[in-house]
């Protein structure tokens, strides 16, 4: 389903060559009274406004790249257009479209909008805050496995298996080291699950 706010959002973004924010986009749409049905300021209404804007942004990103080689850079701090008229868009930038496919897939699926109620929003917020407050614990878990925090879960799993094989008590390893490795792996798995659920 095409998002009817896409044209207005694109027009607004185009006014800011250095980029704008999702917050400013939402405020602009509210000033135009395009969110009248979502006038409440509870968590569900805020989520729905966020979802509608992100749905539109990801639709625009896919369509403009496919049709015009214009890249809509969507990040947590800025939304901006990058027009590639002189080969300015690096391969790594374009790769970010495919890297964000799970995120864009979430926002492009209207079933996620329809099925998310107040309880689910509060659950997602709780998961976010738990993750936020556990960053030190997560960082320590990556250190225990001798990995950087940028490693994907597949690499973490391989490293865990390698270290577990070395430190398993049945293979002459130290029990405490083995337990620390297992705990670190569980912390990272849980943090990855929390990110997917948000």
């Amino acid at each position: 389903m095409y998002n009817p706010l896409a044209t207005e959002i694109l027009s607004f973004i185009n006014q800011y060559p250095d980029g704008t924010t999702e917050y400013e986009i939402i405020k602009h749409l509210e000033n135009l009274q395009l969110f009248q049905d979502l006038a409440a300021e509870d968590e569900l209404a805020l989520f729905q406004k966020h979802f509608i804007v992100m749905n539109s942004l990801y639709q625009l990103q896919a369509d403009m790249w496919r049709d015009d080689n214009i890249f809509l850079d969507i990040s947590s701090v800025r939304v901006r257009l990058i027009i590639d008229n002189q080969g300015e868009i690096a391969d790594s930038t374009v790769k970010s479209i495919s890297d964000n496919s799970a995120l864009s897939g979430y926002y492009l699926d209207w079933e996620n909008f329809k099925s998310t109620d107040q309880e689910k929003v509060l659950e997602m917020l709780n998961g976010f805050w738990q993750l936020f407050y556990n960053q030190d614990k997560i960082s320590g878990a990556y250190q225990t496995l001798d990995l950087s925090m940028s490693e994907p879960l597949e690499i973490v799993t391989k490293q865990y298996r390698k270290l577990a094989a070395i430190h398993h008590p049945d293979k002459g390893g130290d029990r405490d080291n083995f337990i620390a490795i297992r705990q670190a792996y569980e912390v990272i798995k849980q943090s990855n699950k929390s990110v997917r659920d948000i």
Side-chain angles (χ1 to χ4, degrees), residues 41-195:
E41 289 300 319
D42 64 9
E43 292 85 357
L44 180 59
L46 293 173
F47 167 80
Q48 290 173 335
K49 291 174 189 178
H50 163 75
F51 190 99
I52 290 167
V53 168
M54 296 305 287
N55 171 274
S56 180
L57 290 174
Y58 281 114
Q59 279 185 16
L60 286 166
Q61 184 185 62
D63 293 347
M64 290 191 311
W65 180 249
R66 181 190 63 237
D67 299 341
D68 305 308
N69 271 11
I70 296 173
F71 182 65
L72 181 60
D73 185 20
I74 305 167
S75 76
S76 58
V77 293
R78 181 172 61 172
V79 177
R80 69 184 177 116
L81 289 170
I82 303 173
I83 299 172
D84 192 24
N85 53 10
Q86 295 181 0
E88 298 168 12
I89 300 178
D91 290 340
S92 60
T93 304
V94 175
K95 185 178 178 293
S96 71
I97 293 176
S98 60
D99 288 348
N100 285 330
S101 61
L103 190 59
S104 64
Y106 174 82
Y107 286 112
L108 290 172
D109 184 351
W110 281 104
E111 281 303 312
N112 291 320
F113 178 86
K114 293 176 192 172
S115 66
T116 303
D117 58 12
Q118 179 77 5
E119 183 179 332
K120 179 64 177 171
V121 170
L122 293 174
E123 183 182 311
M124 288 189 294
L125 284 171
N126 185 41
F128 167 80
W129 287 116
Q130 283 180 350
L131 185 62
F132 177 79
Y133 289 122
N134 287 323
Q135 282 304 305
D136 288 341
K137 189 176 184 181
I138 294 166
S139 175
Y142 278 95
Q143 287 175 359
T144 298
L145 296 182
D146 198 26
L147 293 170
S148 75
M149 288 184 68
S150 62
E151 296 292 355
L153 189 57
E154 303 84 51
I155 299 298
V156 172
T157 300
K158 286 179 185 175
Q159 179 72 349
Y160 160 72
R161 289 181 180 149
K162 177 182 161 188
L163 293 173
I166 294 168
H167 294 282
H168 197 285
D170 290 348
K171 303 206 178 190
D174 181 74
R175 179 188 180 282
D176 291 339
N177 283 344
F178 175 75
I179 295 297
I181 290 164
R182 182 64 200 198
Q183 286 175 329
Y185 181 55
E186 290 299 326
V187 165
I188 294 170
K189 280 196 324 184
Q190 186 59 42
S191 72
N192 275 267
K193 180 184 181 308
S194 296
V195 169

